[in-house]
């Protein structure tokens, strides 16, 4: 099987981190590649960024369909464009936020989300409600680091770790969900220090897609997920016209 992990922002260094974390869990029979969006914001930290990330996501999905990709991960915690991507893809499309939170529900009574900027908490809360996970999500917290400040710097790791420690205490949670693809490589060290499971959405989503394909399960592609009705698209978006 071929799984494509799409980084919806245009920062290739983040794509490299994402790709390493996905490859670490992919099975021996899985071909995996990680791609950087060809257009859009350098990082996604607002509704505006999220909206402008979707054309790049859809371009990556369309290219994958031409190439024969079997399934996709949308590697941004806001799960941008997942519904639209599902109208283009024959195979499964899974966002890292949904995958991470669903995984966390299997690790105890409740989980906490620790994300980047406070302004993205609302979107995370919307996803909790969209997926009916209110009874499991005990709190959503921000470490107030910009997305592009996330790297394996000890100071960054300490900030994120202390935010996770505070979230566990405030929420009395059993697990942590890290709310940014750029935090994926921090999971193991934070989990070891805090003694609780810390879920990486990139790994969770990669394994979700791999599991679906292993069971030969693909969306029916009908109704709401059927291919979009053909129509003219003008201006900058004219390349997105579907034949
Ligand atoms: C992400 N932004 O995972 C989100 C994190 C966030 O560029 N990649 C980004 O704060 O929504």
């Amino acid at each position: 099987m071929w799984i494509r992990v799409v980084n919806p922002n245009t920062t290739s260094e983040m794509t490299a981190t994402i790709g390493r974390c996905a490859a670490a869990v992919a099975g021996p029979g899985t071909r995996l590649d990680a791609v950087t969006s060809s257009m859009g914001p350098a990082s996604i930290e607002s509704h505006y960024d999220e909206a402008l990330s979707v054309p790049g996501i859809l371009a990556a999905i369309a290219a994958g369909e031409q190439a024969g990709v079997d399934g996709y991960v949308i590697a941004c915690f806001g799960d941008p464009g997942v519904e639209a991507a599902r109208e283009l893809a024959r195979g499964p499309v899974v966002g890292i936020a949904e995958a991470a939170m669903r995984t966390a529900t299997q690790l105890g009574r409740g989980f906490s989300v620790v994300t980047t900027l406070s302004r993205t908490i609302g979107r995370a809360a919307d996803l909790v409600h969209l997926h009916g996970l209110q009874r499991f999500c005990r709190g959503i917290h921000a470490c107030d680091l910009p997305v592009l400040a996330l790297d394996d710097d000890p100071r960054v790791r300490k900030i994120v770790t202390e935010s996770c420690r505070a979230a566990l205490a405030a929420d009395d949670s059993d697990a942590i969900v890290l709310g940014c693809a750029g935090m994926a490589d921090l999971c193991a060290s934070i989990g070891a220090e805090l003694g609780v499971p810390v879920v990486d959405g990139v790994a969770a989503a990669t394994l979700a897609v791999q599991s679906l394909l292993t069971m030969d399960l693909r969306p029916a592609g009908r109704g709401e997920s059927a291919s979009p009705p053909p129509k003219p698209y003008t201006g900058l978006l004219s390349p997105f016209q579907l034949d």
Side-chain angles (χ1 to χ4, degrees):
M1 68 181 75
W2 184 0
I3 298 175
R4 173 158 289 177
V5 182
V6 180
N7 174 14
N9 72 42
T10 55
T11 300
S12 58
E13 292 81 0
M14 264 188 77
T15 308
T17 299
I18 290 164
R20 283 194 301 275
C21 293
V25 297
T30 298
R31 174 184 176 184
L32 185 122
D33 62 3
V35 299
T36 306
S37 178
S38 60
M39 64 186 91
S43 64
I44 298 162
E45 300 174 314
S46 65
H47 295 296
Y48 184 83
D49 292 343
E50 194 148 320
L52 291 177
S53 74
V54 175
I57 293 167
L58 297 179
I61 301 292
E65 291 301 287
Q66 289 293 321
V69 170
D70 295 301
Y72 303 87
V73 169
I74 305 295
C76 171
F77 200 76
D79 290 357
V82 167
E83 293 86 355
R86 287 175 174 165
E87 294 179 350
L88 294 184
R90 292 179 298 271
V93 179
V94 176
I96 67 171
E98 179 182 4
M101 293 193 287
R102 290 192 186 283
T103 298
T105 66
Q106 300 169 47
L107 295 163
R109 285 279 182 184
F111 64 83
S112 299
V113 177
V114 174
T115 188
T116 55
L117 298 178
S118 301
R119 64 180 300 157
T120 67
I121 289 175
R123 174 63 181 161
D126 289 345
L127 290 171
V128 168
H129 287 260
L130 174 66
H131 300 301
L133 298 175
Q134 298 91 314
R135 62 189 282 255
F136 294 100
C137 181
R138 293 198 172 160
I140 305 172
H141 309 262
C143 60
D144 280 319
L145 282 172
V147 169
L148 296 185
L150 291 169
D151 57 27
D152 205 12
D153 177 314
R155 289 165 299 174
V156 166
R157 194 180 317 122
K158 182 162 180 56
I159 290 169
V160 178
T161 301
E162 291 315 308
S163 296
C164 292
R165 193 191 310 275
L168 285 171
D171 300 341
D172 190 23
S173 291
D174 305 306
I176 291 282
V177 167
L178 290 184
C180 179
M183 296 177 179
D185 56 350
L186 300 178
C187 285
S189 59
I190 294 173
E193 178 154 355
L194 299 182
V196 300
V198 177
V199 182
D200 158 26
V202 172
T206 300
L207 288 170
V209 172
Q210 185 173 270
S211 298
L212 290 167
L213 293 171
T214 301
M215 294 184 279
D216 204 19
L217 294 175
R218 292 168 177 78
R222 62 185 185 176
E224 178 183 340
S225 298
S227 297
K231 65 192 67 174
Y233 292 76
T234 56
L236 287 175
L237 297 182
S238 56
F240 289 86
Q241 185 154 328
L242 301 169
D243 302 327

